[in-house]
Amino acid sequence: MKLCIGFRAPALLAAMMFSTAPLAAEVSHQTDYSIRLAGLPLARASFHTEVEKNRYTISGTLNSSGLADIISHTTGQTRVSGVIDRDHLRASEYSMSYRSGRKGRAINVSFRNGNVVRSSMVPKRSPLPKNWVPVTSRDMRNVLDPLSGLIIPAKARVCPNTLPIFDGESRLDIRLSPKGTRNFKTRGFEGEVIVCGIRFVPKAGYRKGREDVEYLRRLGTMEIWYAKANGVDVYAPVYARIPTKIGPVTVSATRFGD
């Protein structure tokens, strides 16, 4: 599994990372994650969230480690800002860039009222393969970014829920289903978390029939765990698990607040 995937849709689960210039904020929240493959370290990620009234900014960084560093050193940065509404965090600006070895990419997306008004990706994917499913204007309506879109306001339903994600290239649905509760402990948090099953539903912006996409589409055993972040009054992921053919990819919070 390519590490850059973790920075995008599936690692939606493995999609968590950051660091930002300080704001005159009412609340701040720090979350760090360890990403592993079959128990072996792949990467470290760190997010910093600032909230002022109903506006938020999340920024973060990711750095490969252990096994992934042997294959190809990978770094990434991401940032998103927007407004917290009743059911979702609605982004106004989202950006992500990563570099893996000699290859890199930068994505910028602007939203207005949940609709994409501007999107760019450098370098572009060219030429597009014949089996590419194009993203249409309809696909970019009423969507969430892949970072703050995974965070759910405390008064909203965590799961069941469907998160319509657009990451600057691909459009997918993340369908959450209830699987009960578990206990979880890490620095800054100890208590009960909500466990959701995940279904990955690609919509557009991918190669039809691609093996890894079809594998994720069929997979019915992915999980994501949500904990209440009291300081910012939202539910945020503290654990995720994606089975692969060579072992599970896990994303686990090593710090949640504090």
Side-chain angles (χ1 to χ4, degrees):
M1 176 177 289
K2 295 181 180 178
L3 190 56
C4 64
I5 291 178
F7 228 93
R8 297 186 45 206
L12 55 99
L13 320 178
M16 307 166 185
M17 35 221 97
F18 321 75
S19 158
T20 185
L23 299 174
E26 295 178 354
V27 177
S28 64
H29 185 87
Q30 181 73 30
T31 309
D32 301 328
Y33 296 90
S34 171
I35 303 171
R36 293 177 174 268
L37 171 62
L40 299 174
L42 277 185
R44 297 183 302 273
S46 182
F47 291 95
H48 189 78
T49 302
E50 299 278 1
V51 178
E52 185 176 15
K53 296 183 180 179
N54 70 330
R55 298 200 62 83
Y56 70 91
T57 300
I58 307 172
S59 57
T61 58
L62 175 141
N63 289 278
S64 60
S65 62
L67 178 65
D69 254 350
I70 296 173
I71 300 170
S72 181
H73 181 63
T74 299
T75 60
Q77 299 82 38
T78 186
R79 188 177 191 275
V80 60
S81 59
V83 174
I84 302 173
D85 69 13
R86 181 178 177 180
D87 297 321
H88 299 290
L89 273 64
R90 290 287 186 187
S92 54
E93 297 289 337
Y94 164 78
S95 65
M96 185 275 288
S97 62
Y98 69 86
R99 178 162 292 278
S100 183
R102 295 182 178 181
K103 296 182 179 180
R105 179 155 285 158
I107 289 174
N108 290 277
V109 185
S110 298
F111 301 83
R112 183 180 299 125
N113 299 323
N115 301 320
V116 176
V117 294
R118 196 163 43 252
S119 179
S120 66
M121 184 174 70
V122 180
K124 293 182 178 180
R125 192 180 298 274
S126 182
L128 292 176
K130 292 182 179 180
N131 59 345
W132 187 260
V133 180
V135 175
T136 68
S137 58
R138 177 175 294 182
D139 292 320
M140 294 189 288
R141 297 174 190 166
N142 195 29
V143 292
L144 306 170
D145 72 278
L147 177 55
S148 63
L150 288 175
I151 299 173
I152 300 172
K155 294 180 180 179
R157 181 175 58 188
V158 177
C159 54
N161 203 345
T162 297
L163 308 176
I165 303 294
F166 178 70
D167 69 358
E169 180 181 35
S170 302
R171 170 70 177 84
L172 65 142
D173 282 347
I174 297 170
R175 295 181 181 171
L176 305 179
S177 58
K179 295 188 68 175
T181 59
R182 297 284 292 270
N183 290 319
F184 185 83
K185 181 179 180 180
T186 192
R187 176 183 172 185
F189 178 87
E190 181 176 3
E192 192 174 78
V193 298
I194 297 172
V195 179
C196 300
I198 296 178
R199 295 306 297 258
F200 169 80
V201 184
K203 295 289 189 177
Y206 70 99
R207 287 187 309 194
K208 190 173 183 178
R210 179 170 165 167
E211 183 179 356
D212 56 352
V213 173
E214 291 303 315
Y215 175 81
L216 288 168
R217 185 208 297 267
R218 294 190 300 266
L219 200 58
T221 53
M222 293 185 287
E223 286 187 355
I224 187 167
W225 299 6
Y226 278 91
K228 176 78 177 305
N230 291 320
V232 287
D233 206 29
V234 298
Y235 283 96
V238 291
Y239 178 82
R241 185 178 187 274
I242 312 169
T244 75
K245 295 177 181 179
I246 57 175
V249 172
T250 58
V251 182
S252 187
T254 57
R255 176 181 179 183
F256 191 70
D258 190 26

